[in-house]
């Protein structure tokens, strides 16, 4: 019982401690102490209408209030610090040890009612500014900001001085949370600035040091957003004032435009071009994603998500009820608010564990969740309280449950022991009355889930087969006592016992040298989550009294070799655990296996295998697909039986571990069970526990027309045609990653904005709906901007390096290196806004170049372009050859011109010619001379 109590207490306190950070801070009005009133919901119902009569001194002195502090445990507060009206006095200690979340509880004649939690912090203000104003150079007609940050609780109010005087009223000045923003700087803005931080809770102010602003003329500069410390997700109440700053630096001044994307609607452009968008008196038609961008720079985008909040209100509170034992009771707690609130249930001031007989289920009309308690016992009586919380406000209501009716003693001395990896043996003693029947409730402890009530029987023992092997379950027994000929009385549930299956199936194989190989690989593969194995063995001497030996093995180990000669056989069994803290159990029913049976077929003809992990997919109006897991499935066939809640069984045989069930009715609930059969045998094993499936209703199929639209470089809007409801939208850039590891968004509607996507990678989206559970096909969103591969790049050598260019627009990141063994993160990086880049100051050798979109290199880099080493320079060699050839050509031209000149001269003066020309038969020209010597 102590172990069960510790387990349940961890479940309760773990959830409570996880919610501590969500409670809004309450700042003390004093730096030394604080008074916390006990604010209990529906206080007039807790207060007695008239004072109770003073029966004794203890009753007079009793106080209905208690306080506790919520940390990793629940620490009670000393009662002397609690006044008669429930106010708690907290004195500050050094180191802030008395700060934290406090909660009160008021005793009521029907139980305990919790007050609203208080997250107490003591007010303070720092002695120094963490970021005081500093000297700043501002450019004329451009924006600038002056910081002013100081640690303070609550946040200090900031005022400004310019040249020793209060900051003048000016529409260009915007007082942000931790800085002063000046847009469209003018010469008159030059001067000395100081900020004054005031915390009225501690009645102290701090004045910063001086920071001087110097104004100079603007110069040519590429546009960029001015860095500011502002929130981009803004959730405020209705009629609030919201300031969306989007100042841009750069010269000439870029043109700014604003766009609004309301939830579920199309994007529209706003008329304003101001760098600071002010939304006064915010209304619902102003909700959405505001986007500011530059007309000529598509990649420069800044977004603000503005949503309205609504206080939480419980519209359908729980109602007090009187019920009889063994009946079923339902409590409502329907809450409204924005964002949609989460509801948490408590019983008598303790967080209610939703498992077993107590669980959340859909109402009959499927419009809300109700707290359902089945098989009510006298222990269920008390105050049930719900808290609804949406991160901004909280509401609470409560109701009493009174259990009446004839009672009967519960079964006594319930014990359990593991019988196999997925079976537990229970035994108990009967109550004093005559018993008609018993039932056993089985509740998983590893997750929220309803209790499974077994079939009634008259035995005082039962072997319970569970769904998850090696997993702890809680077991309770109920007796039914005859009260009359027509009616039985159900007893209260017995005390809970915690037990888990043990006895992992193993295979023994003979090896040489008297060795036996013990293997359990198949079971390990089919049972994930085991963190440790214990292999036990002892001599098989027939006595059974020998102490066993334990060998502890890690989770990845699936076989072990033992020395076991035939003359000295061993008895072996294997245990497994999904936690390093083993549950203490009676293992006398866990069977042993003798090594003398190694290699023998131990099948005795009985089918003991039960299918595991039933799962339903592809649910439609008239069909669904059922899958399950079974050890050594190739040896068996399977009988799948489907039963409508108000009909008969319809069974079909399957040779695989999956089958499609067809011919069903829309919007109908079905019960599915699976049985293992061995071919050639008439009987099969036990059926699985019932699995319930509801087919889709008639009409358009869910998630029809699932589509997307890019809002900006990193934001897409996904929508579908199904009716607005609660959905979970999963998205990832890695398709092979399990869906449960994808990023998820919880929404109410039929459209969603997904931000922060990688523009250069594919995005995969899947939408999951509820009531009934189903999911859409995976939507493939192609990349908006493509990284450039090596084939997309061109290059040419220049006088000082190499020039690389490409097609396309938008800013790029160019990485290059001459050492390909370096990590890409260490390559030289150049940001380029055009379509080319020139790389200079290179060494001898090849150059490797990679071009990606700005911000698009987070997960995958493209193939790098390899530019070979520049060819040898033969400029002067070819120049010499060219000069020589040119000189020869000039000589030839000059000789030809001289011959032409001589011929022309000879034609003009023939009488003075002294030589004649003759031509031989071979075509050679011969010369004659008038003064030839004989």
């Amino acid at each position: 019982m102590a172990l069960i109590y510790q387990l349940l207490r961890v479940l309760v306190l773990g959830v409570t401690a996880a919610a501590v950070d969500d409670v809004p801070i309450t700042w003390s009005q004093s730096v030394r102490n604080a008074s916390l009133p006990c604010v209990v919901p529906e206080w007039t119902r807790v207060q007695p209408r008239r004072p109770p009569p003073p029966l004794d001194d203890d009753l007079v002195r009793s106080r209905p209030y208690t306080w506790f502090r919520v940390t990793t445990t629940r620490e009670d507060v000393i009662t002397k610090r609690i006044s008669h009206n429930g106010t708690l006095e907290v004195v500050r200690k050094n180191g802030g040890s008395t700060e934290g979340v406090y909660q009160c509880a008021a005793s009521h004649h029907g139980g305990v009612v919790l007050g609203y939690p208080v997250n107490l912090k003591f007010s303070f203000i720092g002695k120094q500014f963490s970021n005081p104003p500093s000297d700043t150079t501002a450019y004329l007609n451009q924006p600038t900001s002056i910081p002013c940050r100081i640690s303070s609780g609550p946040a200090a109010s900031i005022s400004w001085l310019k040249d020793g005087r209060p900051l003048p009223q000016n529409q260009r000045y915007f007082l942000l949370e931790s800085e002063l923003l000046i847009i469209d700087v003018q010469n008159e803005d030059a001067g000395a600035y100081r900020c004054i931080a005031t915390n009225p809770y501690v009645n102290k102010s701090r004045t910063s040091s001086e920071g001087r602003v110097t104004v100079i003329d603007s110069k040519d500069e590429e546009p960029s957003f001015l860095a500011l410390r502002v929130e981009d997700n803004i959730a405020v109440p209705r009629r609030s004032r919201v300031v969306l700053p989007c100042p841009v630096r750069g010269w000439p001044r870029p043109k700014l435009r604003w766009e609004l994307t309301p939830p579920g609607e199309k994007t529209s452009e706003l008329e304003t071009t101001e760098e600071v968008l002010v939304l006064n008196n915010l209304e619902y038609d102003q909700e959405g994603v505001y986007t500011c961008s530059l007309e000529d720079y598509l990649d420069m985008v800044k977004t603000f998500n503005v949503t309205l909040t609504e206080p939480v209100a419980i519209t359908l509170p729980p109602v007090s009820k009187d019920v009889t034992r063994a009946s079923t009771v339902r409590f409502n707690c329907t809450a409204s608010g924005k964002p949609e609130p989460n509801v948490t249930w408590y019983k008598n001031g303790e967080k209610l564990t939703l498992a077993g007989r107590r669980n959340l289920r859909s109402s009959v009309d499927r419009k809300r969740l109700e707290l359902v308690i089945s098989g009510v016992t006298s222990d269920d009586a008390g105050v049930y309280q719900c808290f609804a919380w949406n991160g901004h406000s909280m509401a609470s209501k409560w109701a009493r449950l009174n259990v009446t009716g004839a009672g009967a003693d519960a079964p006594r001395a319930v014990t359990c022991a593991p019988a196999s990896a997925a079976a537990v043996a229970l035994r108990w003693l009967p109550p004093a009355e005559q018993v008609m029947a018993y039932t056993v409730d089985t509740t998983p402890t590893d997750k929220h889930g309803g209790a499974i009530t077994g079939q009634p029987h008259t035995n005082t023992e039962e072997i319970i087969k569970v769904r998850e092997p090696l997993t702890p379950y809680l077991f309770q027994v109920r007796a039914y006592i005859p009260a009359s000929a027509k009616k039985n009385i159900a007893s209260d549930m017995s005390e809970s016992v915690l037990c888990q299956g043990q006895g992992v199936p193993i295979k023994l194989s003979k090896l040489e040298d008297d060795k036996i190989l013990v293997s359990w690989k198949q079971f390990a593969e089919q049972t994930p989550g085991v963190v440790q194995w214990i292999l036990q063995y002892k001599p098989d001497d027939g006595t059974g009294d020998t102490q066993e030996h334990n060998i502890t093995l890690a989770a990845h180990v699936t076989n072990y070799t033992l020395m076991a000669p035939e003359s000295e056989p061993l008895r072996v069994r294997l245990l497994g655990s999904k936690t390093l803290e083993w549950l203490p159990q009676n293992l006398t029913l866990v069977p042993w296996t003798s090594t003398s049976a190694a290699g023998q077929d131990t099948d005795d003809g009985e089918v003991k295998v039960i299918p595991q992990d039933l799962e339903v997919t592809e649910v439609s109006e008239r069909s669904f697909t059922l899958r399950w897991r079974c050890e050594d499935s190739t040896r068996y066939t399977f009988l799948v039986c489907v039963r409508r809640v108000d009909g008969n069984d319809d069974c079909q045989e399957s040779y695989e571990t999956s089958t499609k069930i067809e011919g069903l009715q829309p919007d109908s609930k079905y019960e599915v069970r699976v049985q293992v059969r061995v071919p050639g045998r008439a009987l099969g094993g036990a059926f699985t526990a019932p699995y319930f499936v509801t087919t889709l209703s008639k009409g358009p199929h869910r998630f029809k027309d699932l589509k997307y639209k890019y809002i900006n470089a990193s934001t897409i809007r996904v929508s579908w045609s199904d009716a607005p409801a609660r959905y979970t939208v999963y998205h990832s850039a890695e398709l092979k990653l399990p869906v449960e590891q994808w990023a998820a968004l919880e929404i109410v509607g039929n459209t969603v904005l997904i931000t922060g996507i990688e523009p250069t990678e594919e995005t995969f989206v899947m939408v999951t709906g509820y009531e009934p559970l189903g999911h859409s096909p995976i939507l493939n969103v192609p990349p908006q901007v493509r990284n450039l591969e090596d084939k997309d790049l061109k290059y040419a050598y220049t006088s000082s390096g190499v020039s690389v260019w490409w097609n396309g627009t938008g800013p790029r990141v160019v990485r290059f290196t001459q050492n390909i063994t370096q990590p890409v993160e260490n390559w030289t990086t150049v940001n380029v806004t055009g379509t080319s880049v020139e790389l200079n100051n290179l060494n001898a050798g090849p150059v490797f170049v990679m071009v990606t979109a700005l911000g698009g290199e987070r997960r995958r880099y493209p193939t790098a372009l390899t530019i070979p080493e520049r060819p040898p320079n033969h400029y002067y060699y070819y120049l010499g050859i060219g000069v020589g050839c040119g000189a020869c050509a000039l000589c030839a031209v000059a000789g030809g011109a001289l011959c032409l000149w001589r011929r022309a001269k000879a034609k003009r003066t023939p009488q003075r010619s002294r030589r004649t020309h003759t031509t031989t038969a071979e075509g050679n020209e011969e010369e004659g001379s008038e003064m030839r010597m004989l």
Side-chain angles (χ1 to χ4, degrees), residues 350-500:
E350 296 285 345
K351 185 172 176 60
L352 194 62
T353 302
L354 298 176
R357 297 182 299 107
R358 305 183 185 100
N359 219 320
L360 293 179
R361 298 179 186 173
S362 298
S363 60
V364 177
D365 57 7
R366 298 185 179 180
K367 293 183 179 179
R368 60 186 181 274
L369 289 177
E370 299 175 331
L371 173 63
V372 179
I373 306 174
S374 59
V376 172
T377 71
S378 56
D379 291 337
D380 294 323
V383 171
Y384 288 82
Q385 184 177 8
C386 63
F387 278 87
W389 165 247
N390 70 349
H392 299 277
S393 62
M394 181 181 292
S396 178
K397 296 288 184 180
W398 55 273
R400 295 188 306 272
L401 177 62
N402 185 28
V403 181
T404 60
D409 292 337
R412 300 172 290 115
V414 180
T415 60
C416 67
S420 69
V424 171
L426 258 69
R427 292 187 177 90
W428 58 88
L429 296 178
E433 296 88 353
Q434 180 184 359
V435 176
M436 294 291 296
Y438 298 97
T439 58
V440 177
D441 278 9
T442 304
T443 306
T445 59
D446 59 337
K447 53 189 173 183
H448 295 330
I452 300 174
T453 302
Q455 296 295 322
H457 59 84
T458 58
N459 301 322
T460 57
E461 59 183 34
E462 183 180 1
I463 293 182
I464 309 296
K465 295 182 178 180
V466 295
R467 179 176 179 179
E468 295 290 340
L470 310 182
T471 300
Y473 285 80
L474 285 173
F475 302 93
Q476 290 179 288
V477 185
R478 185 194 295 272
Y480 294 86
I481 312 298
S484 63
K486 297 183 179 179
K487 185 178 180 181
N488 293 334
I489 297 175
S491 74
D492 285 344
M493 299 296 292
S494 70
E495 63 180 2
S496 298
V497 292
L498 185 65
C499 202
Q500 73 184 62

Side-chain angles (χ1 to χ4, degrees), residues 36 67-69 77 88 90 98 100-103 116-118 120:
L36 306 181
W67 279 86
F68 56 89
R69 185 178 175 194
V77 176
L88 173 67
V90 181
T98 53
V101 176
Y102 291 84
Q103 194 167 17
Y116 289 103
V118 180
L120 175 64

Side-chain angles (χ1 to χ4, degrees), residues 870-890:
R870 180 193 297 272
N873 193 344
H874 300 293
Y875 173 79
Y876 294 105
Y877 172 78
Y878 292 118
L879 179 62
I881 295 177
V883 171
C885 293
C888 293
L890 288 175

Side-chain angles (χ1 to χ4, degrees), residues 302-321:
K302 197 171 184 179
T303 59
F304 300 90
N305 188 14
V306 179
T307 57
L308 284 174
T309 62
E310 295 177 357
V312 175
I314 297 179
T315 57
L316 188 60
V319 178
S320 297
K321 298 180 179 181

Side-chain angles (χ1 to χ4, degrees), residues 481-615:
I481 312 298
S484 63
K486 297 183 179 179
K487 185 178 180 181
N488 293 334
I489 297 175
S491 74
D492 285 344
M493 299 296 292
S494 70
E495 63 180 2
S496 298
V497 292
L498 185 65
C499 202
Q500 73 184 62
Q502 282 296 352
V504 176
I506 56 178
K507 181 179 180 181
L508 302 180
S509 303
K510 282 187 177 182
L511 302 177
E512 298 179 356
D513 301 328
D514 294 334
K515 294 180 181 179
I516 298 294
L517 177 66
V518 185
S519 175
W520 57 97
K521 181 178 181 180
Q522 184 177 10
F523 179 86
E525 291 176 348
Q526 296 176 347
T527 310
V530 178
V531 298
Q532 197 174 72
W533 311 96
I534 292 181
L535 180 64
Q536 295 186 326
Y537 68 93
K538 62 181 179 180
D540 188 7
D541 54 9
T543 63
D545 298 330
T546 309
Q547 180 67 32
E548 66 267 8
H549 302 273
N550 295 331
I551 302 175
T552 302
L553 303 171
H556 66 275
V557 179
T558 58
N559 60 74
Y560 193 84
T561 302
L562 292 173
M563 290 296 299
E566 293 185 4
S567 58
E568 299 178 4
L570 299 177
R571 301 178 70 188
V572 185
R573 68 182 179 186
L574 182 69
L575 312 177
S577 177
K578 294 186 177 182
T579 65
L580 293 178
E581 295 182 3
W582 287 72
L583 192 65
Q585 297 184 105
N586 181 0
L587 301 176
T588 55
L589 299 180
V590 179
W592 295 83
T593 301
S594 176
T595 58
S596 59
Q600 301 178 9
D601 186 2
T602 58
D603 187 1
D604 57 2
E606 181 183 357
V607 181
K608 300 179 181 179
V609 180
I610 300 178
Q612 304 288 329
D613 299 338
L614 269 65
E615 179 184 12

